[in-house]
Amino acid sequence: MANSITHPRPRHTWLTDVARFGLLVRDAIRPRATPFNLAATVVLSLGLVVTWIRFTRGLGATTNLSDNYPWGLWIGFDMLCGVALAAGGFVLAAAVELFHLERYRGFVRPAILTAFLGYVLAVLGLLMDLGRPWAIWHPMVFWQPHSVMFEVAWCVMLYSTVLFLECLPSVCERFRLRRTLALVRRAMLALTVVGVVLSTMHQSSLGGLFLLAPAKLHPLWYSQLIPLLFFISAVIAGLSMVILESTLSHRLFHSQVADQRPADVDRLVIGLGKAASVVLLVYCCVKTIAVMKAGTWNLLPTPYGVLFLVEVLGLGLLPCALYAHAARVGSATLTRCASVLAILGVVLNRLNISVIAFRWNEPVRYVPHWMEVVLSVALITLGLVAFRWIVNTLPVLGARPTLTPDHGEAVSSKAAPSRGAVSGNDDGHAPSKEVSTCLRSPL
Amino acid sequence: MATNRRDFLKLLGTIGAAGAVGGQAHSAPPASSARPDAWAMLSDLSLCIGCRKCEFACKQANRLPNRPMEDFEDEAVFEKTRRTDRHNLTVVNRFEAPQPGEKAVYAKIQCMHCNEPACASACPVAAIRKTRQGPVDYDPSLCIGCRYCLVACPFSMPAYTYDEPFAPAVRKCTMCFDAVSRTGGAPACAKICPVEATTFGTRHELLVLARDRIHRNPDKYVDHVYGEHEVGGTNWLYLAPKSFAELGFRTDLGDRPYPELTEGFLSAVPLVVAIWPALLLGAYALTKRHEAASRGATPPLPGAVELLGAERTPTRAIEAGPQVRTGSKGK
Ligand code: SF4
Ligand code: SF4
Ligand code: SF4
């Protein structure tokens, strides 16, 4: 901008106007042209193109789905993994709101935000995948309570609403809506209980969907215990995501979490890891019981058996041991490594059940179309961008609420200068400027 | 008795649904378990000559893209074993003869019209339903396109029109339900069959007929009526001159109706709704008391608070948390 003005003043023509406009655009874009933003722009544009093709030319043009493989990446990854990885919301909410583990309070808001975004993305993926997405409301009106899918539909719909309500406190604080805040605070206990009940139901129901596929799912994975296994592994995925996310938040949004001492956070992370290690141990035990009940040991020395062992030992028992060891030696880094392994384990489990070990003996197998992959990556990118935008706009990451319903602000803007949202408002800054400053720095 | 109980449950479900939403409550998949007078088909694979006229008639009846009848005489399609798809609701496959020198065996397959259909129990909106008459019918106007029915069907019969962007639908044989209930007669494939390999009748009379044929020609048939008991019985029955496993039929499906596979799980749902909140609130009260106790300067007990297994930060330090951290911030 400055350069263009310091030139000897040129004659004013429409061409100079265009040039000046171009420079304005360039200067607006340049500081935001981080590698992440560029990549995100490319991926999101591609995602839009795929969406367009999906809705004008159909599922056949964008996916490799077939009559034998009616569910592909969009269900197996976007839906099943998305919902499992979003389980941190109900786990952390239960720990803090129900079990009074107050020291984890700081993790609750980011966990619930991640969960909400996770569900929104899963539903977006579902809208792409459903043959008639405009009829998505039908299960609300045309009841068929004998269907597991019916239960999933209801629970996901209700729980997304609960998550939205649980996200409200930060919105209220940001816009200083005291009365609404008081209302939501009062409802928090009830919301948490309802959230846990709904999560228990649909996390297990997503596994329950496959109870009808004994003739199609590989015997190592098919079990009457699938619903239980899905629920337990969702808790694992949720805890691990919270651990991983706290790490990333500290790297990327350190200005916002400046009031949390790294050592404190590390100790809490290790605590979560310890819990995850216990849950993983339970999971591995139930998985063993399932195989014992089915009596399918003899299938272990086959290619699918190896895949099964990778999933259960490499990405189940190993992170379990790592979490436990990390707690013993007090290493948050190790806990974080374990969380990555555990997350991969849950993702592999979901993909195995829905895609890889499903109709495992067909001669022609399903391999995702590149457009399916692009859309899934685009949805993740959308989630990251939305998360970044929200934590830069709303008070989510800090440990303490910035506004209490009854007596003013809990934290003065001096004590938390980085909490741009509220203090910025006080100083009369336009919120958009706040956002753009934050956008520039971290990623 | 079983039917009574089911009907009662169905009634309850319907009332509950109507009461809760005041909307349109659709009946759950009724279990017209093997009603003897239900419509049924018997395909005698020892009679089938593989002319594929039934495929032609099926396309005609369902208004699917068709070709002239002569095209169906082309034997090249038998090179590969085919499954049903969106253009072919029934297909005829060829298998080796039971004895060298005899004629090959042809097997016509299509939806089996199960007595207790997995597809109907899977469908979240009751777009697929078991009709009172026996056929399993599909209503595209309700369908949301989740394709769970394709996942659930043990025989892998339903297909989906993935190439349709604006009105995709599930496609499967409906036993010509509309046409037969309107004008009577038989489904198209049974009507056209030149050798009566496929016969239309009531389930009871066809079972008697099948048993009778096996009885009179024990060396011509394997002693098994496929569909009599498979997955709780189906309304399409088969006779075969050689073992069904060698004719592409699944013989590992068992006799339990598929909806039973999810019944136990679904019946646990009300339990979760009833018990979970009580347990959770119990834990809430317990940990709250504990917290209050520790606030009153009692040393924290190891217990519910340590449930998540975090390091034992004295709870009082947490209470003082904000101040402590604000202080550390200042330095
Ligand atoms: S019309 Fe009859 S004989 Fe011809 S292929 Fe069909 S079932 Fe067999
Ligand atoms: S064969 Fe499959 S599609 Fe046909 S009624 Fe049975 S479960 Fe449904
Ligand atoms: S695809 Fe349609 S018919 Fe099949 S289960 Fe889903 S809603 Fe029901």
Side-chain angles (χ1 to χ4, degrees), chain B residues 196-249:
Chain B
E196 280 191 50
T198 295
T199 321
F200 178 64
T202 70
R203 193 166 190 272
H204 176 72
E205 71 192 29
L206 291 182
L207 270 175
V208 171
L209 177 67
R211 287 266 154 244
D212 185 53
R213 284 191 195 166
I214 295 176
H215 184 70
R216 274 194 279 161
N217 301 288
D219 40 336
K220 190 176 154 199
Y221 294 105
V222 292
D223 187 11
H224 182 66
V225 183
Y226 192 91
E228 184 175 7
H229 301 297
E230 275 75 10
V231 296
T234 63
N235 286 39
W236 209 291
L237 304 166
Y238 282 92
L239 282 176
K242 72 186 227 183
S243 95
F244 283 99
E246 292 167 51
L247 296 171
F249 288 78

Coordinates of all heavy atoms in Angstrom, one line a residue, chain B residues 196-249:
Chain B
E196 N -42.7 -73.6 -16.2 CA -43.3 -73.5 -14.8 C -42.2 -73.8 -13.8 O -42.5 -74.5 -12.8 CB -44.5 -74.4 -14.6 CG -45.7 -73.8 -15.2 CD -47.0 -74.5 -14.8 OE1 -47.1 -74.8 -13.6 OE2 -47.8 -74.8 -15.7
A197 N -41.0 -73.3 -14.0 CA -39.9 -73.5 -13.0 C -40.2 -72.6 -11.8 O -39.8 -72.9 -10.7 CB -38.6 -73.2 -13.6
T198 N -40.9 -71.5 -12.1 CA -41.3 -70.6 -11.0 C -42.8 -70.6 -10.9 O -43.5 -70.3 -11.8 CB -40.8 -69.2 -11.2 OG1 -39.3 -69.2 -11.2 CG2 -41.2 -68.2 -10.2
T199 N -43.3 -71.0 -9.7 CA -44.8 -71.1 -9.5 C -45.2 -70.1 -8.4 O -44.5 -69.9 -7.4 CB -45.1 -72.5 -9.0 OG1 -44.2 -73.4 -9.7 CG2 -46.5 -72.9 -9.2
F200 N -46.4 -69.5 -8.6 CA -46.9 -68.6 -7.6 C -48.1 -69.3 -6.9 O -48.8 -70.1 -7.4 CB -47.5 -67.4 -8.4 CG -48.1 -66.4 -7.5 CD1 -47.4 -65.7 -6.5 CD2 -49.5 -66.0 -7.6 CE1 -48.0 -64.7 -5.7 CE2 -50.1 -65.1 -6.8 CZ -49.3 -64.4 -5.8
G201 N -48.1 -69.1 -5.5 CA -49.2 -69.7 -4.8 C -49.1 -69.3 -3.3 O -48.4 -68.3 -3.0
T202 N -49.8 -69.9 -2.4 CA -49.7 -69.6 -1.0 C -48.5 -70.4 -0.5 O -48.1 -71.4 -1.0 CB -50.9 -70.0 -0.2 OG1 -51.0 -71.4 -0.1 CG2 -52.2 -69.4 -0.8
R203 N -47.9 -69.9 0.6 CA -46.7 -70.5 1.1 C -47.0 -71.9 1.5 O -46.2 -72.8 1.3 CB -46.2 -69.7 2.3 CG -44.8 -70.1 2.7 CD -44.2 -69.1 3.7 NE -42.8 -69.3 3.9 CZ -42.3 -70.1 4.8 NH1 -43.1 -70.8 5.6 NH2 -41.0 -70.3 5.0
H204 N -48.2 -72.1 2.1 CA -48.5 -73.5 2.6 C -48.6 -74.4 1.4 O -48.0 -75.5 1.4 CB -49.8 -73.4 3.3 CG -50.3 -74.8 3.8 ND1 -49.7 -75.5 4.8 CD2 -51.3 -75.6 3.3 CE1 -50.2 -76.6 5.0 NE2 -51.2 -76.8 4.1
E205 N -49.4 -74.1 0.4 CA -49.5 -75.1 -0.7 C -48.2 -75.3 -1.5 O -47.9 -76.4 -1.9 CB -50.7 -74.6 -1.7 CG -50.4 -73.4 -2.6 CD -51.6 -72.9 -3.3 OE1 -52.7 -73.1 -2.7 OE2 -51.5 -72.3 -4.4
L206 N -47.4 -74.3 -1.5 CA -46.1 -74.5 -2.2 C -45.1 -75.3 -1.4 O -44.4 -76.2 -2.0 CB -45.4 -73.1 -2.5 CG -46.1 -72.3 -3.6 CD1 -45.4 -71.0 -3.8 CD2 -46.3 -73.0 -4.9
L207 N -45.2 -75.2 -0.1 CA -44.4 -76.1 0.7 C -44.8 -77.5 0.6 O -44.0 -78.5 0.4 CB -44.5 -75.7 2.2 CG -43.4 -74.7 2.7 CD1 -43.7 -74.3 4.1 CD2 -42.0 -75.2 2.6
V208 N -46.1 -77.7 0.5 CA -46.7 -79.1 0.3 C -46.2 -79.6 -1.0 O -45.7 -80.8 -1.2 CB -48.2 -79.1 0.4 CG1 -48.8 -80.5 0.0 CG2 -48.6 -78.8 1.8
L209 N -46.3 -78.8 -2.1 CA -45.9 -79.2 -3.4 C -44.4 -79.5 -3.4 O -44.0 -80.6 -4.0 CB -46.2 -78.0 -4.4 CG -45.8 -78.2 -5.8 CD1 -46.6 -79.3 -6.5 CD2 -45.9 -76.9 -6.6
A210 N -43.6 -78.7 -2.8 CA -42.1 -78.9 -2.8 C -41.8 -80.2 -2.1 O -41.1 -81.1 -2.6 CB -41.4 -77.8 -2.1
R211 N -42.4 -80.4 -0.9 CA -42.2 -81.7 -0.2 C -42.6 -82.9 -1.1 O -41.9 -83.9 -1.1 CB -43.0 -81.7 1.1 CG -42.4 -80.8 2.2 CD -41.5 -81.5 3.1 NE -40.5 -80.6 3.7 CZ -39.2 -80.7 3.5 NH1 -38.7 -81.7 2.8 NH2 -38.4 -79.9 4.0
D212 N -43.7 -82.7 -1.7 CA -44.2 -83.8 -2.5 C -43.2 -84.2 -3.7 O -43.0 -85.3 -3.9 CB -45.6 -83.4 -3.1 CG -46.2 -84.5 -3.9 OD1 -46.4 -85.6 -3.3 OD2 -46.6 -84.3 -5.1
R213 N -42.7 -83.1 -4.3 CA -41.8 -83.4 -5.4 C -40.5 -84.1 -4.9 O -40.0 -85.0 -5.5 CB -41.3 -82.0 -6.1 CG -42.4 -81.5 -7.0 CD -41.9 -80.4 -7.8 NE -43.0 -79.6 -8.4 CZ -42.9 -78.4 -9.0 NH1 -41.7 -77.8 -9.1 NH2 -43.9 -77.8 -9.5
I214 N -40.0 -83.6 -3.8 CA -38.8 -84.3 -3.2 C -39.2 -85.8 -2.9 O -38.4 -86.7 -3.2 CB -38.3 -83.6 -1.9 CG1 -37.9 -82.2 -2.2 CG2 -37.2 -84.4 -1.2 CD1 -37.4 -81.4 -1.0
H215 N -40.3 -86.0 -2.3 CA -40.7 -87.3 -1.9 C -40.8 -88.2 -3.1 O -40.4 -89.4 -3.1 CB -42.1 -87.2 -1.2 CG -42.6 -88.5 -0.6 ND1 -42.0 -89.1 0.4 CD2 -43.6 -89.3 -1.0 CE1 -42.5 -90.2 0.7 NE2 -43.6 -90.4 -0.2
R216 N -41.4 -87.7 -4.2 CA -41.6 -88.6 -5.4 C -40.3 -88.8 -6.2 O -40.2 -89.8 -6.9 CB -42.7 -88.0 -6.3 CG -44.1 -88.5 -5.7 CD -45.1 -88.3 -6.7 NE -45.6 -86.9 -6.7 CZ -46.3 -86.3 -7.6 NH1 -46.5 -86.9 -8.8 NH2 -46.7 -85.0 -7.5
N217 N -39.4 -87.8 -6.2 CA -38.1 -88.0 -6.9 C -36.9 -87.8 -6.0 O -36.2 -86.8 -6.1 CB -38.0 -87.0 -8.0 CG -39.1 -87.1 -9.0 OD1 -39.2 -88.0 -9.8 ND2 -40.1 -86.1 -8.9
P218 N -36.7 -88.7 -5.0 CA -35.7 -88.4 -4.0 C -34.3 -88.3 -4.6 O -33.5 -87.6 -4.1 CB -35.8 -89.6 -3.1 CG -36.6 -90.6 -3.8 CD -37.4 -89.9 -4.8
D219 N -34.1 -89.0 -5.8 CA -32.7 -88.9 -6.3 C -32.5 -87.7 -7.3 O -31.4 -87.4 -7.7 CB -32.3 -90.2 -7.1 CG -33.5 -90.7 -7.8 OD1 -34.7 -90.4 -7.5 OD2 -33.3 -91.5 -8.8
K220 N -33.6 -87.0 -7.6 CA -33.5 -85.8 -8.5 C -33.3 -84.6 -7.6 O -32.7 -83.6 -8.1 CB -34.8 -85.7 -9.2 CG -34.8 -84.7 -10.4 CD -36.1 -84.7 -11.2 CE -36.3 -83.3 -11.8 NZ -37.7 -83.1 -12.2
Y221 N -33.7 -84.5 -6.4 CA -33.6 -83.3 -5.6 C -32.7 -83.6 -4.3 O -32.7 -84.7 -3.8 CB -35.0 -82.9 -5.1 CG -35.9 -82.4 -6.2 CD1 -37.0 -83.2 -6.6 CD2 -35.7 -81.2 -6.8 CE1 -37.8 -82.8 -7.6 CE2 -36.6 -80.7 -7.8 CZ -37.6 -81.6 -8.2 OH -38.5 -81.1 -9.1
V222 N -32.1 -82.5 -3.9 CA -31.5 -82.6 -2.5 C -32.7 -82.4 -1.6 O -33.6 -81.7 -1.9 CB -30.4 -81.5 -2.3 CG1 -29.2 -81.8 -3.1 CG2 -31.0 -80.1 -2.5
D223 N -32.6 -83.0 -0.4 CA -33.7 -83.1 0.5 C -33.7 -81.8 1.3 O -33.5 -81.8 2.6 CB -33.6 -84.3 1.4 CG -34.8 -84.4 2.3 OD1 -35.8 -83.7 2.0 OD2 -34.8 -85.2 3.2
H224 N -34.0 -80.7 0.7 CA -34.0 -79.4 1.4 C -34.8 -78.4 0.6 O -34.6 -78.2 -0.6 CB -32.5 -78.9 1.5 CG -32.4 -77.6 2.3 ND1 -32.6 -77.5 3.6 CD2 -32.0 -76.4 1.9 CE1 -32.4 -76.3 4.0 NE2 -32.0 -75.6 3.0
V225 N -35.7 -77.8 1.3 CA -36.5 -76.6 0.7 C -35.8 -75.4 1.2 O -36.0 -75.0 2.3 CB -38.0 -76.7 1.0 CG1 -38.7 -75.5 0.3 CG2 -38.5 -78.0 0.6
Y226 N -35.0 -74.7 0.3 CA -34.3 -73.5 0.7 C -35.4 -72.4 0.9 O -36.2 -72.2 0.0 CB -33.3 -73.1 -0.3 CG -32.3 -72.0 0.2 CD1 -31.1 -72.4 0.8 CD2 -32.6 -70.7 0.0 CE1 -30.3 -71.4 1.2 CE2 -31.8 -69.7 0.4 CZ -30.6 -70.1 1.0 OH -29.7 -69.1 1.5
G227 N -35.3 -71.8 2.1 CA -36.3 -70.7 2.4 C -37.4 -71.2 3.3 O -38.1 -70.4 3.8
E228 N -37.4 -72.5 3.6 CA -38.4 -72.9 4.6 C -38.1 -72.4 6.0 O -38.9 -71.9 6.7 CB -38.5 -74.5 4.6 CG -39.6 -75.0 5.5 CD -39.8 -76.5 5.4 OE1 -39.0 -77.1 4.8 OE2 -40.8 -77.0 6.0
H229 N -36.8 -72.5 6.3 CA -36.4 -72.1 7.6 C -35.3 -71.0 7.6 O -35.1 -70.4 8.6 CB -35.8 -73.3 8.4 CG -36.8 -74.4 8.6 ND1 -38.0 -74.2 9.2 CD2 -36.8 -75.7 8.1 CE1 -38.7 -75.4 9.2 NE2 -38.0 -76.3 8.5
E230 N -34.6 -70.8 6.5 CA -33.5 -69.9 6.5 C -34.0 -68.5 7.0 O -35.0 -68.0 6.6 CB -33.0 -69.7 5.0 CG -31.9 -70.8 4.6 CD -32.5 -72.2 4.4 OE1 -33.8 -72.2 4.3 OE2 -31.8 -73.1 4.2
V231 N -33.1 -67.9 7.8 CA -33.4 -66.6 8.5 C -34.9 -66.5 8.9 O -35.5 -65.4 8.7 CB -33.0 -65.4 7.6 CG1 -31.5 -65.4 7.4 CG2 -33.7 -65.4 6.3
G232 N -35.4 -67.6 9.4 CA -36.8 -67.5 9.9 C -37.8 -67.8 8.9 O -39.0 -67.6 9.1
G233 N -37.4 -68.2 7.7 CA -38.3 -68.5 6.7 C -38.5 -67.4 5.7 O -38.4 -66.2 6.1
T234 N -38.6 -67.7 4.4 CA -38.8 -66.7 3.4 C -40.1 -67.0 2.6 O -40.6 -68.2 2.6 CB -37.6 -66.6 2.4 OG1 -37.5 -67.9 1.7 CG2 -36.3 -66.4 3.2
N235 N -40.5 -66.1 1.8 CA -41.7 -66.3 0.9 C -41.3 -66.8 -0.5 O -42.1 -66.9 -1.3 CB -42.6 -65.1 0.9 CG -43.4 -64.9 2.2 OD1 -42.8 -65.1 3.2 ND2 -44.6 -64.6 2.1
W236 N -40.0 -66.9 -0.7 CA -39.5 -67.4 -2.0 C -38.9 -68.8 -1.6 O -38.0 -68.8 -0.8 CB -38.5 -66.5 -2.7 CG -38.6 -66.7 -4.2 CD1 -38.2 -67.8 -4.9 CD2 -39.1 -65.8 -5.1 NE1 -38.4 -67.6 -6.2 CE2 -39.0 -66.4 -6.4 CE3 -39.6 -64.5 -5.1 CZ2 -39.3 -65.7 -7.6 CZ3 -40.0 -63.9 -6.2 CH2 -39.9 -64.5 -7.5
L237 N -39.3 -69.8 -2.2 CA -38.8 -71.2 -1.8 C -38.1 -71.8 -3.0 O -38.4 -71.4 -4.2 CB -40.0 -72.1 -1.4 CG -40.8 -71.5 -0.3 CD1 -42.2 -72.3 -0.2 CD2 -40.1 -71.6 1.0
Y238 N -37.1 -72.6 -2.7 CA -36.3 -73.2 -3.8 C -36.2 -74.7 -3.7 O -36.1 -75.2 -2.5 CB -34.9 -72.6 -3.8 CG -34.8 -71.2 -4.4 CD1 -34.9 -70.1 -3.6 CD2 -34.5 -71.1 -5.8 CE1 -34.7 -68.8 -4.1 CE2 -34.4 -69.8 -6.3 CZ -34.5 -68.7 -5.5 OH -34.4 -67.4 -6.0
L239 N -36.2 -75.4 -4.8 CA -35.9 -76.8 -4.9 C -34.6 -76.9 -5.8 O -34.5 -76.1 -6.7 CB -37.0 -77.6 -5.5 CG -38.2 -78.0 -4.6 CD1 -39.2 -78.7 -5.4 CD2 -37.7 -78.8 -3.4
A240 N -33.7 -77.8 -5.5 CA -32.5 -77.8 -6.3 C -32.1 -79.3 -6.5 O -32.2 -80.1 -5.6 CB -31.4 -77.0 -5.7
P241 N -31.4 -79.5 -7.7 CA -30.9 -80.9 -8.0 C -29.5 -81.1 -7.4 O -29.0 -82.2 -7.5 CB -30.9 -80.9 -9.5 CG -30.7 -79.5 -9.9 CD -31.3 -78.6 -8.8
K242 N -28.9 -80.1 -6.8 CA -27.6 -80.3 -6.2 C -27.5 -79.3 -5.0 O -28.3 -78.4 -4.9 CB -26.5 -80.2 -7.1 CG -26.2 -78.8 -7.6 CD -25.1 -78.9 -8.7 CE -24.0 -77.9 -8.5 NZ -23.0 -77.9 -9.5
S243 N -26.5 -79.5 -4.2 CA -26.5 -78.7 -2.9 C -26.5 -77.2 -3.2 O -25.9 -76.7 -4.1 CB -25.2 -79.1 -2.1 OG -24.2 -78.2 -2.4
F244 N -27.3 -76.6 -2.3 CA -27.5 -75.1 -2.5 C -26.2 -74.3 -2.4 O -26.0 -73.3 -3.1 CB -28.5 -74.6 -1.5 CG -29.9 -75.0 -1.9 CD1 -30.6 -76.0 -1.4 CD2 -30.6 -74.2 -2.9 CE1 -31.9 -76.3 -1.7 CE2 -31.9 -74.5 -3.3 CZ -32.5 -75.6 -2.7
A245 N -25.3 -74.8 -1.6 CA -24.0 -74.1 -1.4 C -23.3 -74.0 -2.8 O -22.6 -73.0 -3.1 CB -23.1 -74.9 -0.4
E246 N -23.4 -75.1 -3.6 CA -22.7 -75.0 -4.9 C -23.5 -74.2 -5.9 O -23.0 -74.1 -7.1 CB -22.6 -76.5 -5.4 CG -21.6 -77.3 -4.6 CD -21.7 -78.8 -5.0 OE1 -21.6 -79.1 -6.2 OE2 -21.9 -79.6 -4.1
L247 N -24.6 -73.7 -5.6 CA -25.4 -72.9 -6.5 C -25.5 -71.5 -6.1 O -26.3 -70.7 -6.5 CB -26.9 -73.5 -6.6 CG -27.0 -74.9 -7.1 CD1 -28.4 -75.4 -6.9 CD2 -26.6 -74.9 -8.6
G248 N -24.5 -71.1 -5.3 CA -24.3 -69.7 -5.0 C -25.3 -69.2 -3.9 O -25.4 -68.0 -3.6
F249 N -25.9 -70.2 -3.2 CA -26.8 -69.8 -2.1 C -26.0 -69.8 -0.8 O -25.2 -70.7 -0.6 CB -28.0 -70.7 -2.0 CG -29.0 -70.6 -3.0 CD1 -28.8 -71.1 -4.3 CD2 -30.2 -69.9 -2.8 CE1 -29.7 -70.9 -5.3 CE2 -31.2 -69.7 -3.8 CZ -30.9 -70.3 -5.1

